[in-house]
């Protein structure tokens, strides 16, 4: 292998090693996930809130610097913290007889990790509608800028599974990349009728399918964690499955014929059609429909809500790393096709 | 790089839930082993193909 070949191949592997180490090694920012009891009635009550991610306190002990405030409508209700643990707080509060809204949001102010929020944390039954009496009202503490270090953002529902972004999305990008190579190869095949382009098209589709199946598997795993089901009837998910099945059809079509020239031309036509369908099913149709999948409904890509700088520092290397691995696999398959053809035609 | 990782993994006072469960390092180790296996098999395949190509070019 030439120096350049060694560089990009093993550079890609090193990038993926970096992605694995940093992707699994970086802590998640803290976030509130659970409140109990979820139903409250007016009067004194003890509340408990649970969090995931980085702990917001070192150990069970002092409540200094921590505050828990509840919000009903625009009114704030004060509480008294009785215990602060690394991932849990307990507080006493007297629920007022009347409040603007029966739904209470929780704000936990911490010195180390800033403000944690849980919307609709509690629901009050039996309280009248109206402003909160002054004796229960709280004044919000000043906002602090916590130093969380290098950490991944906390997103409700997604939580620790946000690390899958470094696998699932770059795998689809890699599939797009190599299927694009296959598309160009098929167009060239139709134009020139040279077997070399057929080899390239076949190698691209075969490699792209591996990454498509990996993308489906990682997506299904992610869906199970965040949406509660291995598969949901969503335009993006169904489009991805249809695309993979279409490309599987390409391989079946090739296997069904023995005449090399016919195989080359027919599969090139099919591949052009499959790539157009890939673009329509994965990039066009889902944007016209409501979808659970992020980046849809008029929003074509990632934005500041999906990615922050710490995620970008791992996500972009992941895209390059998976792309390099995919391209390496493609070149190997292409060389196998060439070697096989050379042996058979000698 | 090592210094950064050491800081992230061991020196941070804010040890996360993911570490607290004790599984993060196991997952990282398994994933790295799989990646090393893939890289090794691709590299061996690459070398074998290079040999086949050179033999094929030498043969009239």
């Amino acid at each position: 292998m030439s120096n350049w070949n060694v560089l990009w191949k093993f550079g890609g592997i090193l990038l993926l090693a970096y992605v694995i180490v940093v992707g699994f090694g970086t802590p998640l920012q803290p976030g509130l996930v659970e409140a109990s009891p979820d139903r409250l009635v007016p009067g004194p009550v003890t509340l408990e809130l649970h969090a995931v991610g980085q702990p917001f306190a070192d150990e069970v002990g002092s409540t200094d610097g921590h505050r828990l405030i509840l919000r009903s409508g625009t009114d704030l209700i004060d509480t008294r913290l009785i215990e602060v643990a690394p991932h849990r707080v307990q507080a006493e509060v007297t629920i007022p007889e009347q409040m603007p809204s029966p739904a209470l949001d929780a704000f936990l102010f911490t010195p180390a990790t800033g403000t944690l929020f849980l919307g609709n944390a509690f629901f009050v039954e039996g309280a009248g509608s109206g402003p909160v009496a002054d004796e229960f009202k709280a004044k919000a503490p000043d906002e602090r800028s916590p130093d969380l270090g290098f950490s991944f953002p906390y997103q409700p529902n997604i939580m620790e599974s946000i690390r899958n972004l470094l696998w699932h999305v770059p795998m689809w990008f890699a599939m797009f990349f190599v299927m694009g190579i296959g598309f160009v190869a098929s167009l060239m095949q139709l134009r020139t009728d040279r077997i070399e382009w057929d080899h390239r098209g076949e190698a691209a589709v075969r490699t792209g399918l591996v990454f498509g199946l990996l993308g489906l598997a990682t997506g299904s795993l992610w869906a199970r964690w965040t949406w509660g089901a291995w598969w949901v009837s969503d335009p993006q998910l169904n489009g991805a499955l249809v695309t993979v099945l279409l490309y599987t059809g390409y391989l079946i079509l090739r296997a069904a014929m023995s005449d090399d020239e016919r195989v080359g031309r027919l599969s090139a036509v099919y591949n052009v059609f499959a790539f157009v369908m890939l673009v329509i099913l994965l990039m066009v149709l889902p944007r016209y429909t409501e979808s659970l999948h992020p980046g849809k409904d008029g929003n074509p890509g990632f934005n500041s809500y999906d990615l922050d700088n710490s995620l970008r520092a791992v996500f972009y290397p992941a895209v390059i790393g998976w792309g390099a691995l995919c391209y390496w696999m493609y070149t190997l398959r292409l060389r196998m096709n060439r070697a096989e053809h050379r042996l058979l035609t000698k | 790089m090592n210094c950064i990782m050491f800081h992230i993994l061991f020196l941070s006072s804010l040890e996360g839930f993911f570490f607290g469960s004790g599984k993060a390092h196991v997952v990282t180790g398994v994933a790295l082993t799989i990646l090393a296996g893939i890289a090794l098999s691709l590299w061996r395949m690459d070398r074998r193909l290079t040999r086949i190509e050179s033999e094929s070019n030498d043969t009239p």
Side-chain angles (χ1 to χ4, degrees):
Chain A
M1 279 194 280
S2 70
N3 286 345
W4 167 242
N5 270 339
V6 173
L7 189 72
W8 75 259
K9 286 168 186 169
F10 288 97
I13 295 294
L14 280 178
L15 276 179
L16 287 180
Y18 160 82
V19 168
I20 289 169
V21 173
V22 180
F24 286 125
T26 302
L28 185 76
Q29 289 168 13
L32 295 172
V33 287
E34 194 186 334
S36 64
D38 58 346
R39 302 265 160 180
L40 306 174
V41 290
V45 65
T46 302
L47 309 174
E48 196 167 287
L49 285 158
H50 292 264
V52 294
Q54 291 179 347
F56 48 73
D58 286 343
E59 54 192 25
V60 178
S62 169
T63 58
D64 286 352
H66 295 79
R67 271 188 81 186
L68 176 66
I69 288 176
L70 305 177
R71 183 177 69 184
S72 168
T74 54
D75 288 357
L76 302 179
I77 301 167
D78 212 355
T79 70
R80 192 178 72 82
L81 284 174
I82 51 178
E83 189 183 314
V84 175
H87 290 102
R88 181 174 57 84
V89 288
Q90 265 194 350
E92 287 177 336
V93 60
T94 303
I95 302 296
E97 291 290 339
Q98 65 173 28
M99 54 185 68
S101 163
L104 294 176
D105 302 326
F107 292 86
L108 179 63
F109 297 87
T110 70
T113 57
T115 307
L116 279 62
F117 169 76
L118 184 62
N120 298 323
F122 304 101
F123 190 81
V124 180
E125 292 174 329
S129 180
V132 170
D134 288 343
E135 62 192 281
F136 301 107
K137 274 191 178 171
K139 193 180 165 205
D142 294 332
E143 279 288 331
R144 291 177 190 170
S145 303
D147 180 17
L148 291 164
F150 190 81
S151 53
F152 288 156
Y154 169 81
Q155 299 256 18
N157 293 331
I158 296 176
M159 293 187 265
E160 295 282 2
S161 75
I162 199 164
R163 298 167 206 281
N164 197 21
L165 182 82
L166 310 170
W167 300 71
H168 175 66
V169 180
M171 281 169 178
W172 280 113
F173 283 1
M175 182 210 174
F176 266 86
F177 168 61
V178 81
M179 289 306 191
I181 293 176
F183 173 69
V184 174
S186 291
L187 287 178
M188 292 304 291
Q189 153 77 7
L190 290 172
R191 194 176 159 189
T192 63
D193 215 11
R194 281 181 54 207
I195 194 78
E196 166 65 14
W197 293 112
D198 185 45
H199 291 159
R200 284 177 184 270
E202 195 268 352
V205 170
R206 206 173 274 270
T207 314
L209 258 180
V210 172
F211 280 80
L213 290 170
L214 286 172
L216 281 182
T218 50
S220 181
L221 201 66
W222 211 355
R224 178 69 184 87
W225 171 260
T226 53
W227 303 332
W230 294 104
W231 196 269
V232 292
S233 187
D234 183 273
Q236 181 83 14
L237 273 68
N238 292 341
L241 180 64
V242 171
T243 304
V244 167
L245 291 175
L246 268 173
Y247 277 109
T248 310
Y250 171 90
L251 295 182
I252 294 169
L253 176 74
R254 292 186 70 92
M257 292 183 291
S258 52
D259 179 355
D260 272 358
E261 200 172 318
R262 280 187 69 201
V263 169
R265 290 193 72 78
L266 275 177
S267 55
V269 171
Y270 187 95
N271 196 23
V272 170
F273 159 76
F275 188 77
V276 171
M277 289 306 291
L278 178 147
V279 173
I280 292 171
L281 289 169
L282 292 183
M283 298 181 77
V284 180
L285 281 183
R287 288 178 198 181
Y288 285 100
T289 52
E290 292 285 329
S291 173
L292 285 168
H293 202 278
K296 294 293 159 287
D297 203 15
N299 167 23
F302 295 106
N303 57 33
S304 57
Y305 296 105
D306 301 318
L307 280 177
D308 75 348
N309 284 339
S310 58
L311 260 182
R312 281 193 185 94
V314 199
F315 178 71
Y316 294 146
V319 172
I320 299 169
W322 285 115
L325 181 71
C326 182
Y327 190 72
W328 191 2
M329 289 168 69
Y330 158 74
T331 55
L332 288 176
R333 181 70 209 177
L334 174 61
R335 288 164 66 192
M336 274 184 215
N337 285 348
R338 284 174 184 159
E340 188 185 1
H341 179 72
R342 212 172 294 151
L343 286 171
L344 289 174
T345 51
K346 261 186 181 173
Chain B
M1 167 69 189
N2 282 342
C3 185
I4 295 169
M5 281 320 299
F6 184 75
H7 178 80
I8 291 169
L9 293 174
F10 301 109
L11 295 185
S12 172
S13 60
L14 300 168
E15 193 187 16
F17 175 79
F18 197 54
F19 302 107
S21 67
K23 299 288 189 293
H25 305 311
V26 178
V27 173
T28 307
V30 171
L32 282 175
T33 308
I34 293 171
L35 179 69
I38 291 170
L40 188 69
S41 62
L42 289 180
W43 179 66
R44 288 183 62 181
M45 211 181 290
D46 206 316
R47 282 188 61 187
R48 206 170 294 166
L49 271 167
T50 307
R51 202 172 61 234
I52 291 170
E53 283 164 352
S54 62
E55 280 172 9
S56 166
N57 285 339
D58 292 343
T59 314

